[in-house]
Amino acid sequence: MAFGNQLIQNDYRGIVVEIIVEGALGAPWNWCSGDWRSWDFEHPDGTRLEVKQSAARQTWAAPKKPSPATFDIRTRTGYYIGADWHSETARQAHIYVFAYHPFLDESADHCDAQQWQFHVVPANVLPANKTIGLAKVITLAAPVPWSGLSATVEAIRLSRGGSTPLPDGA
């Protein structure tokens, strides 16, 4: 079963984490993720936010020591707006939220926003790598609880001065 359990399988957990982030951000952020979308949330000023997630405990029998958490941060060759492809090799998001669920014991509940740690990182400080490990993410941004996520994102959004608004239909 994909939902209804404390642990959510990998291919659906990203949606659950986006729901959790949406609950923290609220308006005026627009949750816009979808098939082949290069970012998950948009602010009216054009700021784009991407959510990446990983969890120590999995739905499958993992080894006693979990694998180190890694997140995909590779540049993309473009993005879709509706059915139209826009070619632009870059990281399409301006802000990344790295969500990590560290619980390994029976209390682990991927649906509990309070159990997640969030690291909010401006895209321009990410290394040029294709992936980034949690240890490196921690050096870029201290973890914040769900209750502090909105304020942290807002501080970074304001510090970057917004961006060019997205094209119509984005």
Side-chain angles (χ1 to χ4, degrees), residues 17-112:
V17 174
E18 288 177 17
I19 291 167
I20 290 170
V21 170
E22 196 273 337
L25 295 179
W29 286 94
N30 176 40
W31 183 19
C32 61
S33 68
D35 288 345
W36 306 106
R37 197 69 191 256
S38 294
W39 57 91
D40 300 312
F41 293 87
E42 297 169 349
H43 190 274
D45 74 356
T47 302
R48 304 169 185 165
L49 184 144
E50 175 77 6
V51 178
K52 299 294 185 176
Q53 59 80 30
S54 184
R57 185 140 186 226
Q58 303 294 322
T59 56
W60 40 269
K64 297 220 185 270
K65 182 179 177 189
S67 302
T70 59
F71 306 93
D72 175 10
I73 58 168
R74 75 186 75 224
T75 58
R76 305 294 187 222
T77 58
Y79 55 93
Y80 281 99
I81 295 179
D84 297 326
W85 176 252
H86 297 263
S87 182
E88 177 187 349
T89 301
R91 287 194 178 113
Q92 304 301 329
H94 305 105
I95 302 171
Y96 280 71
V97 172
F98 297 98
Y100 182 64
H101 193 278
F103 289 72
L104 275 171
D105 63 17
E106 294 298 318
S107 71
D109 184 349
H110 294 160
C111 296
D112 182 351

Side-chain angles (χ1 to χ4, degrees), residues 83-161:
D84 297 326
W85 176 252
H86 297 263
S87 182
E88 177 187 349
T89 301
R91 287 194 178 113
Q92 304 301 329
H94 305 105
I95 302 171
Y96 280 71
V97 172
F98 297 98
Y100 182 64
H101 193 278
F103 289 72
L104 275 171
D105 63 17
E106 294 298 318
S107 71
D109 184 349
H110 294 160
C111 296
D112 182 351
Q114 306 305 320
Q115 288 189 0
W116 287 88
Q117 298 173 351
F118 301 93
H119 303 266
V120 184
V121 180
N124 65 344
V125 303
L126 291 171
N129 307 4
K130 292 179 181 180
T131 62
I132 190 169
L134 181 61
K136 178 64 176 174
V137 168
I138 290 169
T139 69
L140 298 174
V144 296
W146 180 84
S147 61
L149 182 57
S150 180
T152 303
V153 166
E154 185 66 3
I156 291 174
R157 185 188 69 79
L158 292 173
S159 73
R160 59 177 304 282

